Amino acid sequence: MSVLQEIVRDVRADLAAREARVGPAVLEEMVAAAAPPLDAVAALRGDTVRVIAEIKRRSPAKGPLADIDDPAGLAGAYVAGGAAAISVLTEPRRFGGSLADLTAVRAAVPVPVLRKDFIVSAYQLWEARAHGADLVLLIVAALGQPELESLLRQATDLGLTTLVETHDAEEVRRAVDAGARVIGINARNLNTLAVDPGVFATLAALVPDDVVRVAESGVRVPTDVGVYRDAGAAAVLVGEALVTSADPGASVAALVAAGRRPAGASR
């Protein structure tokens, strides 16, 4: 069983427990009371590579990364540094996240917030919207094509933007066929956890020009952003390099500065 399969197995078990505690009617009431979602697509376009800064305590690849006692405070520092959106890990077992983190971050920042998790059910989409998310992650490798297309449609119906994550050419094709407006290209192999930043340049060429391209994994220093910028990235998603930084806000600012496009250049 691959790492991804193990994670999805555990996610389904945790999901069943949450569904038993919080019924759909409760989530529907929460969604009805929530503020309208922000336009994440607009937030991820511009003349500078946008930075999606992540709240991430640990990962399967690196183990513990940071003790984040105040996710809202960290998100505020990210935004002060120029982050265009905040990603919040909500998976608890391997990433140390929670829906409470999502709620806290949503209340603290004026930019779009991504619920980053292993979404396999419409219930999780309702959870995301109920707790204030504007975007959700859909991982192509974790879903069959009918599931992917159904979840993307249901997310859109809820007003959520989907960041559809891919790892190879076939997954990019599936994301495009499903109608994704934002496609993430993850340089991390979810089976081996190895990172190959060159994957982005190869796969970005397969993504239509009207789709927002997001580079995931592989950003350690500002020059990495420049490499992704030149390969066509509209945005980068960065976690480990920020949560382990002594000054996360300044680190975001440095990444934003490195992503500025030459005059006249397009996304």
Side-chain angles (χ1 to χ4, degrees), residues 170-181:
E170 174 60 16
E171 290 181 9
V172 171
R173 183 195 64 76
R174 289 179 55 200
V176 172
D177 288 350
R181 298 175 63 202

Side-chain angles (χ1 to χ4, degrees), residues 46-174:
D47 57 4
T48 298
V49 174
R50 301 314 201 208
V51 175
I52 306 171
E54 192 157 84
I55 308 293
K56 182 178 186 178
R57 293 186 178 89
R58 61 179 183 263
S59 76
K62 295 294 183 68
L65 297 172
D67 294 325
I68 302 173
D69 297 325
D70 182 11
L74 179 56
Y78 286 160
V79 172
I86 306 299
S87 171
V88 182
L89 262 301
T90 58
E91 195 282 327
R93 298 194 191 203
R94 292 171 175 82
F95 294 90
S98 70
L99 287 167
D101 289 343
L102 182 61
T103 300
V105 169
R106 170 71 287 158
V109 299
V111 300
V113 177
L114 163 70
R115 180 189 184 183
K116 192 176 181 189
D117 209 317
F118 298 80
I119 291 180
V120 294
S121 164
Y123 181 89
Q124 292 164 289
L125 301 177
W126 282 87
E127 282 183 322
R129 186 81 276 279
H131 289 270
D134 307 287
L135 303 100
V136 291
L137 182 73
L138 296 180
I139 302 173
V140 174
L143 301 166
Q145 192 66 10
E147 291 176 296
L148 174 63
E149 294 178 2
S150 176
L151 289 170
L152 199 155
R153 284 195 303 270
Q154 291 177 82
T156 301
D157 289 344
L158 281 170
L160 291 162
T161 298
T162 52
L163 169 56
V164 181
E165 179 176 299
T166 64
H167 301 85
D168 59 34
E170 174 60 16
E171 290 181 9
V172 171
R173 183 195 64 76
R174 289 179 55 200

